[in-house]
Amino acid sequence: MTVKMRGGVAVVLAVVLAVVLLQCLPPFAANVTYDHRALVIDGKRRVLISGSIHYPRSTPDMWPDLIQKSKDGGLDVIDTYVFWDLHEPVRNQYDFEGRKDIVKFVKLVGEAGLFVHLRIGPYACAEWNYGGFPVWLHFIPGIELRSNNEPFKAEMQRFTTKIVDLMKQENLYASQGGPIILSQIENEYGNVQRDYGPRAKPYVEWAAAMATSLDTGVPWVMCQQADAPDPIINTCNGFYCDQFTPNSDKKPKMWTENWTGWFTSFGGPVPYRPVEDVAFAVARFYQLGGTLQNYYMYHGGTNFGRSSGGPFITTTYDYDAPLDEYGQIRQPKWGHLKDLHKAIKLCEAAMVATDPTTTSLGSYLEASVYKTGSGLCSAFLANIHTKADVTVTFNGNSYLLPAWSVSILPDCKNVALNTAKINSVATIPRFVSQSSKADTSGASLSGWSWVNEPVGISSDKAFTKDGLAEQINTTADASDYLWYSLSIEIKGNEPFLQDGSQAVLHVQSLGHALHVFINGKLAGSGKGGNKDARVSIDVPVSLVAGKNQIDLLSLTVGLQNYGGHFDLKGAGITGPVQLKDSKSGSSIDLSSQKWTYQVGLKGEELSLFNGDSSLWMSKPALPTNQPLIWYKANFDAPGGDSPLAIDFTGMGKGVAWVNGQSIGRYWPTYIASNGGCTDWCNYRGPYNSDKCLTNCGKPSQTYYHVPRSWLKSSGNVLVVFEEVGGDPTKLSFATREVGSLCSRVSESHPMPVDMWTSDLSGHKQEGATLSLECPLPNQVISTIKFASFGTPQGTCGSFIHGKCRSTNALSVVKKACIGSRNCSLGVSSSTFGNPCAGVTKSLAVEASCA
């Protein structure tokens, strides 16, 4: 077709048409390969820093902020598992909506300019229910999960292909111009491979071949898999991976899980990992040839609904990550790691150009140098002694290396960062009760109503069976709850009814917890724990002549997620169940009787959690401290935008929903033991999950996250199912706020890494600097609670003056900081005077923002 028009118009139309055509094409596709040193992206080796954020453990409205804070913290890559059970809850029925919208999550990461490592698995572990497998897999005839088993391989290949095709359809692989530069198949199989015997190795080889056949255009990895076949990259998981070596000199050294903390279990204390140790581990990894490491977790988030595994994993999955459960920055962990990332990136050009040369500087002392013929030189100096600080000589200069630390010298001369010396601000987060607020911005619960959950069998779907049934095979994990009910006849001359006799019901269960009801009344309860889920209880019971009803409510608290054949780990009451006479010692075994079973609760069947049933009652008085009650209340959303939680103090155990969405299991009555916690944890020396503990003698979890995006401005509905008894009127809302911010910097600290530029001249004139910054952009420093230059002692929130102290520190800090969002002060005698000559002095400050 020929169109006649003036030249200028034709040119404009041609330009517009070209732009439209370009918009229809994918962006420039990246070529991702690898060699022995690193991943190679578009022909360029890269030093990459990654962090795990699991998309369903937060909400879509949180994702952009989490991703941006990750980028601001110096990450290049966001890593996530894919959760099979979430996306295919029923075989061949898929769900990618809401928190399950993995495509949206990956696109958001790409839009922020970051890469993605998509860990398809599809086994995840992740302290996730059943390790991320859908429980329906268990019921496929002849199946053996994670083995050279045809039924399992068919399902695994089908789902893996589904995810890969979904990503391809959206052009999300780097080869298509998208952000995904890596994918993972299987997960930590090498840890349990022995349990699968001769079926294991063929399975590993099959999984590798299956994955690579999907033609993603990016490399695949297997973590903790020393025999990963080429071209799969085998990677390391652990608290430390500096000594890890890949199984081929053609593969790069990669660390897929650097555990930034540890998970919390109901009944356990709360673990944490000092940032000095995390930074030490990271620096050691890059010192000894590593080029990609991933923080597991960078943001842990929340186990909403029934997603937590374990068993006994708490609803919070905070993990002591740099971004806390609520998405707030955890300081000093986030800030110190950000500084570490900057220091490492200053070394990147030298690191990707060559292999390190490591030499000894003495006992427990090492220097690793990356030096090129073109003059690039970067060095890492390490002191791996757990106690002794040492001064070393390197290239003719002296360097003080604290115990268990690494100094990074981007130019082989000047220290940009030492992992044990924190320049970052520290913050003290706190929960602020909304009920204590005098204004109308607080939230309160009102309009209470309730429904009694029937004891025992109430559903026409109940069934009878001889003997005791294993729970997971019976419920298929459709509910946490399974009723075991039995009616027995007690004759008047039975010893259980004679004077002085006491009947005892003995119940043994595979776990995870159970409640015993006799003739409709709660008689006793028992629970297992994370290390041993089994329950064995002896409950004194009062029986009557004639018919007696025994109702046992068995419940799970997340299914097993780890171990060889973890999927076969059972639950529920498998016996024996015995009625014993405490006086005579005689007993009746009830295990083989004809029991009646009901999967789930009546309230679940009626969807009471939605709050819109006609069964809710508000009269007479609200029942409290009674078992098996559904409660409902209304509330308006509290003002502001601070993260929101519910304080469950006063309740026993159960599940809660807000506007029909489950915020998870609550259990504030499961108290951690008193032993093992300390006021201070020494970061020096190898870390393990029991080394640094807090919250001993207290509930494992008290506050439960309520995402703001689930709320309306008014007319919100809270529904709570209470198992054992509590007082719902004691429930209260709280916001997550930053209380104080602190910093403590000594004269011996390196200057802030932000002050480094490509021009290194004059660095010796720069000194240690203390910086403070309010966490929110609309805040300013309003109060200086403490300031001391000299030898201050203590930690953030509990600083005290030392024997040596400057008299003007408080006034100097106030003048520099009050009214500003951020401030910086030189840590030197020229700023504060010299209160004690010959002593290395520190500046400690605690402030608050408003």
Side-chain angles (χ1 to χ4, degrees):
M1 182 174 67
T2 303
V3 178
K4 293 182 179 180
M5 58 178 65
R6 294 182 180 180
V9 176
V11 170
V12 171
L13 183 59
V15 170
V16 171
L17 183 61
V19 170
V20 171
L21 289 172
L22 283 172
Q23 289 176 339
C24 297
L25 296 173
F28 179 74
N31 179 36
V32 184
T33 58
Y34 64 83
D35 61 18
H36 82 287
R37 275 299 294 132
L39 285 181
V40 180
I41 301 176
D42 285 335
K44 183 180 179 181
R45 289 175 177 169
R46 294 292 304 273
V47 169
L48 297 171
I49 298 164
S50 173
S52 291
I53 300 176
H54 296 159
Y55 53 98
R57 282 176 158 146
S58 53
T59 57
D61 75 299
M62 294 172 66
W63 293 345
D65 184 59
L66 293 172
I67 293 166
Q68 186 60 48
K69 286 174 178 173
S70 301
K71 183 176 182 179
D72 293 344
L75 298 195
D76 306 294
V77 185
I78 299 294
D79 162 301
T80 185
Y81 283 122
V82 179
F83 297 91
W84 189 353
D85 65 323
L86 209 61
H87 296 302
E88 195 178 5
V90 178
R91 196 177 185 187
N92 292 315
Q93 295 182 23
Y94 296 98
D95 188 352
F96 294 97
E97 301 297 320
R99 288 186 296 112
K100 307 167 189 177
D101 192 348
I102 187 172
V103 167
K104 179 178 180 179
F105 180 78
V106 171
K107 285 183 175 180
L108 286 170
V109 175
E111 288 167 9
L114 300 179
F115 297 122
V116 172
H117 179 191
L118 193 66
R119 304 176 71 185
I120 298 176
Y123 165 69
C125 183
E127 290 72 59
W128 190 271
N129 192 60
Y130 215 51
F133 281 151
V135 176
W136 54 257
L137 280 173
H138 176 74
F139 297 94
I140 294 175
I143 199 166
E144 182 186 31
L145 307 191
R146 306 180 76 194
S147 178
N148 189 34
N149 171 274
E150 294 306 319
F152 175 69
K153 291 192 296 183
E155 296 299 324
M156 176 174 166
Q157 181 166 1
R158 182 179 58 80
F159 180 74
T160 303
T161 303
K162 173 75 177 180
I163 297 300
V164 168
D165 287 347
L166 183 65
M167 298 300 120
K168 284 183 176 181
Q169 289 163 15
E170 300 289 339
N171 293 321
L172 293 177
Y173 281 102
S175 55
Q176 302 172 293
I180 303 173
I181 58 168
L182 282 173
S183 285
Q184 179 178 301
I185 196 70
E186 248 297 335
N187 186 52
E188 295 184 330
Y189 189 68
N191 295 351
V192 298
Q193 186 165 336
R194 182 181 301 176
D195 295 327
Y196 296 86
R199 302 174 305 287
K201 189 170 182 59
Y203 166 63
V204 171
E205 293 172 347
W206 168 85
M210 182 270 290
T212 53
S213 73
L214 296 176
D215 193 25
T216 62
V218 302
W220 287 83
V221 306
M222 283 182 167
C223 62
Q224 296 295 93
Q225 195 65 50
D227 61 351
D230 294 341
I232 307 292
I233 305 169
N234 66 304
T235 66
C236 180
N237 291 357
F239 291 117
Y240 309 94
C241 282
D242 51 285
Q243 299 302 313
F244 168 75
T245 303
N247 64 12
S248 166
D249 58 9
K250 298 179 181 178
K251 299 177 183 180
K253 178 174 177 175
M254 292 166 49
W255 187 2
T256 34
E257 290 189 17
N258 174 7
W259 303 323
T260 54
W262 202 245
F263 57 83
T264 302
S265 301
F266 283 120
V270 178
Y272 65 98
R273 187 180 180 193
V275 67
E276 297 96 328
D277 181 63
V278 179
F280 171 76
V282 173
R284 285 286 287 164
F285 177 73
Y286 287 107
Q287 172 186 353
L288 299 178
T291 49
L292 183 150
Q293 77 91 34
N294 175 69
Y295 296 107
Y296 186 101
M297 303 291 297
Y298 199 75
H299 164 71
T302 306
N303 291 317
F304 297 112
R306 302 175 56 244
S307 61
S308 64
F312 294 94
I313 301 299
T314 52
T315 299
T316 175
Y317 197 66
D318 182 86
Y319 222 88
D320 196 36
L323 300 179
D324 71 15
E325 177 184 5
Y326 298 85
Q328 294 184 321
I329 289 173
R330 170 173 276 118
Q331 295 283 36
K333 184 166 277 188
W334 182 88
H336 190 46
L337 294 178
K338 175 183 179 180
D339 289 345
L340 172 66
H341 304 155
K342 289 179 179 179
I344 291 169
K345 290 292 185 165
L346 289 170
C347 306
E348 180 173 14
M351 290 172 66
V352 298
T354 185
D355 293 308
T357 299
T358 301
T359 57
S360 173
L361 299 178
S363 182
Y364 299 99
L365 303 168
E366 290 181 351
S368 296
V369 178
Y370 294 90
K371 189 172 185 179
T372 69
S374 62
L376 290 173
C377 186
S378 294
F380 294 73
L381 310 183
N383 178 3
I384 59 176
H385 199 279
T386 60
K387 295 179 181 178
D389 299 348
V390 180
T391 297
V392 301
T393 299
F394 173 73
N395 282 353
N397 295 310
S398 294
Y399 301 89
L400 174 63
L401 295 180
W404 205 252
S405 79
V406 177
S407 283
I408 300 175
L409 289 61
D411 58 355
C412 283
K413 184 177 181 181
N414 296 289
V415 176
L417 179 137
N418 178 272
T419 57
K421 295 183 177 182
I422 298 174
N423 275 320
S424 173
V425 68
T427 56
I428 302 178
R430 59 186 178 130
F431 287 100
V432 178
S433 174
Q434 293 293 291
S435 61
S436 65
K437 289 193 172 183
D439 58 29
T440 57
S441 65
S444 60
L445 295 159
S446 61
W448 284 103
S449 55
W450 74 93
V451 176
N452 289 306
E453 175 69 28
V455 175
I457 305 303
S458 60
S459 172
D460 56 9
K461 297 178 182 178
F463 61 93
T464 59
K465 178 180 180 295
D466 289 335
L468 296 166
E470 190 278 327
Q471 184 161 345
I472 301 170
N473 283 312
T474 306
T475 66
D477 198 39
S479 169
D480 281 359
Y481 302 99
L482 177 63
W483 282 107
Y484 294 68
S485 295
L486 179 67
S487 180
I488 61 171
E489 190 81 19
I490 300 294
K491 296 179 181 179
N493 59 355
E494 288 280 1
F496 304 111
L497 302 178
Q498 303 306 309
D499 291 340
S501 290
Q502 175 65 65
V504 174
L505 187 68
H506 174 74
V507 184
Q508 287 188 204
S509 166
L510 296 177
H512 307 146
L514 65 90
H515 306 303
V516 176
F517 293 84
I518 302 296
N519 296 324
K521 303 293 183 182
L522 180 63
S525 299
K527 59 183 180 292
N530 175 258
K531 294 182 179 176
D532 187 356
R534 294 173 297 177
V535 183
S536 180
I537 58 172
D538 291 288
V539 181
V541 296
S542 297
L543 303 175
V544 298
K547 182 180 177 182
N548 289 265
Q549 184 68 31
I550 300 175
D551 294 300
L552 309 178
L553 182 58
S554 177
L555 49 134
T556 53
V557 190
L559 302 189
Q560 189 83 19
N561 61 261
Y562 181 75
H565 298 289
F566 74 88
D567 51 297
L568 303 181
K569 189 83 170 181
I573 301 164
T574 53
V577 175
Q578 298 169 323
L579 195 59
K580 297 181 178 180
D581 173 33
S582 61
K583 187 174 182 181
S584 67
S586 61
S587 66
I588 301 174
D589 195 328
L590 306 175
S591 307
S592 59
Q593 299 285 321
K594 186 180 290 294
W595 291 79
T596 302
Y597 295 90
Q598 176 183 306
V599 176
L601 306 170
K602 187 67 174 178
E604 289 179 306
E605 183 181 345
L606 297 173
S607 299
L608 290 182
F609 45 81
N610 288 326
D612 54 7
S613 170
S614 62
L615 297 175
W616 294 100
M617 302 179 294
S618 56
K619 295 180 180 180
L622 182 73
T624 60
N625 300 310
Q626 297 178 26
L628 302 186
I629 298 183
W630 295 79
Y631 294 105
K632 182 179 79 165
N634 302 313
F635 67 97
D636 295 339
D641 56 6
S642 297
L644 189 65
I646 298 179
D647 181 350
F648 270 84
T649 300
M651 298 299 284
K653 181 188 181 300
V655 189
W657 295 260
V658 170
N659 293 334
Q661 300 201 66
S662 175
I663 65 172
R665 303 180 181 96
Y666 67 85
W667 203 348
T669 54
Y670 206 159
I671 308 298
S673 64
N674 284 313
C677 292
T678 57
D679 293 334
W680 175 78
C681 181
N682 186 355
Y683 69 85
R684 301 169 184 86
Y687 179 83
N688 62 70
S689 60
D690 294 322
K691 180 179 180 180
C692 303
L693 303 174
T694 187
N695 219 49
C696 291
K698 298 177 182 179
S700 301
Q701 184 176 355
T702 301
Y703 292 94
Y704 293 78
H705 183 201
V706 179
R708 287 273 185 177
S709 61
W710 291 6
L711 302 181
K712 302 172 289 184
S713 59
S714 61
N716 298 287
V717 177
L718 170 69
V719 173
V720 175
F721 172 64
E722 173 58 48
E723 294 173 18
V724 293
D727 184 351
T729 64
K730 293 183 178 179
L731 291 170
S732 63
F733 287 93
T735 52
R736 179 82 164 177
E737 313 280 0
V738 173
S740 292
L741 61 155
C742 307
S743 186
R744 179 176 174 176
V745 174
S746 77
E747 293 175 304
S748 66
H749 273 55
M751 66 180 213
V753 68
D754 282 339
M755 293 183 178
W756 275 73
T757 67
S758 57
D759 177 15
L760 298 179
S761 64
H763 274 185
K764 295 223 170 186
Q765 284 71 45
E766 301 287 353
T769 302
L770 182 146
S771 298
L772 298 175
E773 182 174 17
C774 293
L776 299 177
N778 61 343
Q779 291 180 320
V780 296
I781 298 169
S782 57
T783 307
I784 303 299
K785 298 179 179 179
F786 179 90
S788 183
F789 178 72
T791 56
Q793 305 296 313
T795 58
C796 187
S798 60
F799 285 136
I800 59 173
H801 295 286
K803 292 182 179 180
C804 164
R805 56 180 289 197
S806 169
T807 57
N808 67 346
L810 184 60
S811 61
V812 170
V813 174
K814 281 184 175 181
K815 183 177 180 180
C817 298
I818 293 291
S820 300
R821 190 194 170 198
N822 54 63
C823 60
S824 297
L825 300 104
V827 182
S828 68
S829 297
S830 62
T831 306
F832 296 98
N834 190 353
C836 43
V839 175
T840 300
K841 291 167 282 294
S842 297
L843 174 63
V845 179
E846 179 180 356
S848 60
C849 296

